[in-house]
Amino acid sequence: MRQLSRPRTRRGRVLAASCMLAAAAALFASTSQVTAAPAAAATDTGKKPTIVLVHGAWADASSWNAVMGRLQRAGYTVYAPPNPLRGVASDAQTLASFLATVPGPVVLVGHSYGGFVITNAATKSDNVKALVYDDAYIPAAGETVFQINAAEPGSCVTADPSTFLNLVPYPGGPSGDADAYLKWDANGAYQGFQGCFANGVPTAQARLLAAGQRPFAVSAGSQPSGAPAWKSLPSWAVVGTIDHVIVPAEQLAMARRAGAHVTEVKAGHLSLVTRPDVVTRVITEAADSVG
C-alpha cells in the first residue's frame, strides 16, 4: 500500500504545481495587459507628423532622396508617392486617395509642379496640417502652369517648345496631347537640361536625372487650379534665388500672397538636390508647428 501511495502523491504534487503555474501565468498576462496600455498611449502622444513629399515635372521620387534620408534619421515617417503628371485635377485626386491611407497629421510638401498638386489635394484631405513649397508653384484658383511661367520674364521653359522638348504621344491621352521630356542639349535660348532645370547640380548627377525624368503631359500646363488649400492651412516656401524654371520674383510673389514663411536659398530649381539641409530644416519647422 505504501508503494502504491507514493505515485499518487507525486502525481498530486505535479498537478498542484501545474495549477499554480497556470494561475501565475494568467495573473502575469492580465497584469501585462493592464500596464501595456498606458505605455502605448504615451508613445502615441509624442508621435511626429508624417511627411509626404510630392515631386514635380521631369523628376521622380528619387529627387527627394537626400531630404528623405535626413527626415528619416530625424525620426519621421516619410512617403514620396509617384506623381502621375497627367493633369492638375487627376493628379490631386490621386494624391488625395493616397493621403486617405495615412493615419495621423501630415505635412505635405511639393516641388515645382508638385505645388499645384498639393494645393489642390490638401482641400480634400483633412489630415493635412501644413504645406511646404520647394521651388514650387503656389497657385491661386484659376491659375495655370503656363500662365504663371509667363507672369515674369526669364523662365527657361517659355521658349519655343521645339527647342527644349521631346514630345511623345501616349496611349489613351486626349487628342493632340503628348508627354513632354526635357532635352539634354542646349538650343538657342534654351540652356539645356543642366543649365535650365538642374543648374548647380554636378554634370554626372544631372545626366542621371535627365535619363530618369518622368514626362509632363502638355495638357496639364493649361489646366486651372482649384480653390487653394493655403487659404486655410499654414504654409512655408523655399525659394531658390537662381531658379531658372520658376523665376525667383514670381516664387516670392506667390509665397507672399499665400502668407507663407519664406526661406531664400542660393540654389537653382533643384534645391531639394543641391541644398537638402535647408529644405529639410524648413520641413521640420513646418512639422514642429503641427500640434
Side-chain angles (χ1 to χ4, degrees):
M1 295 293 292
R2 289 178 183 173
Q3 292 177 350
L4 292 174
S5 65
R6 287 177 183 172
R8 291 189 187 125
T9 302
R10 290 196 188 98
R11 189 177 295 113
R13 287 174 180 170
V14 170
L15 288 172
S18 298
C19 290
M20 290 176 65
L21 288 171
L27 178 61
F28 178 80
S30 63
T31 304
S32 299
Q33 290 171 0
V34 170
T35 57
T43 301
D44 291 342
T45 300
K47 187 176 180 181
K48 295 174 181 286
T50 297
I51 312 296
V52 177
L53 307 169
V54 181
H55 67 81
W58 306 308
D60 64 12
S62 68
S63 61
W64 288 110
N65 281 353
V67 173
M68 278 194 285
R70 286 165 169 78
L71 289 170
Q72 288 175 340
R73 288 192 292 274
Y76 289 95
T77 297
V78 187
Y79 297 107
N83 182 358
L85 306 176
R86 282 287 177 257
V88 175
S90 61
D91 293 343
Q93 188 56 59
T94 298
L95 178 59
S97 296
F98 177 83
L99 293 170
T101 70
V102 179
V106 169
V107 174
L108 191 54
V109 188
H111 171 250
S112 192
Y113 167 73
F116 261 86
V117 181
I118 70 170
T119 295
N120 288 270
T123 62
K124 306 172 179 65
S125 307
D126 293 338
N127 54 342
V128 175
K129 304 302 179 185
L131 301 169
V132 180
Y133 295 90
D134 178 29
D135 300 315
Y137 299 95
I138 312 176
E143 290 182 338
T144 70
V145 170
F146 294 155
Q147 178 184 351
I148 293 172
N149 286 346
E152 293 280 348
S155 172
C156 63
V157 293
T158 55
D160 178 352
S162 66
T163 64
F164 72 98
L165 293 176
N166 288 321
L167 300 178
V168 181
Y170 62 92
S175 177
D177 199 16
D179 275 338
Y181 294 82
L182 284 178
K183 295 180 178 179
W184 172 260
D185 293 326
N187 185 3
Y190 174 59
Q191 307 107 306
F193 184 93
Q194 187 175 18
C196 171
F197 184 74
N199 57 313
V201 179
T203 300
Q205 188 177 9
R207 285 189 177 279
L208 292 175
L209 293 172
Q213 65 178 288
R214 294 192 60 176
F216 178 65
V218 174
S219 61
S222 59
Q223 292 182 8
S225 185
W230 48 257
K231 282 201 169 183
S232 58
L233 291 173
S235 60
W236 282 254
V238 178
V239 175
T241 60
I242 50 175
D243 191 327
H244 294 163
V245 175
I246 311 172
V247 295
E250 184 59 24
Q251 286 190 53
L252 286 170
M254 291 186 291
R256 289 167 180 157
R257 178 179 63 185
H261 305 273
V262 176
T263 296
E264 296 186 57
V265 60
K266 188 176 181 180
H269 192 57
L270 298 182
S271 62
L272 70 172
V273 174
T274 62
R275 296 300 304 274
D277 51 339
V278 174
V279 177
T280 301
R281 176 174 56 79
V282 173
I283 293 171
T284 56
E285 286 176 3
D288 288 343
S289 75
V290 176

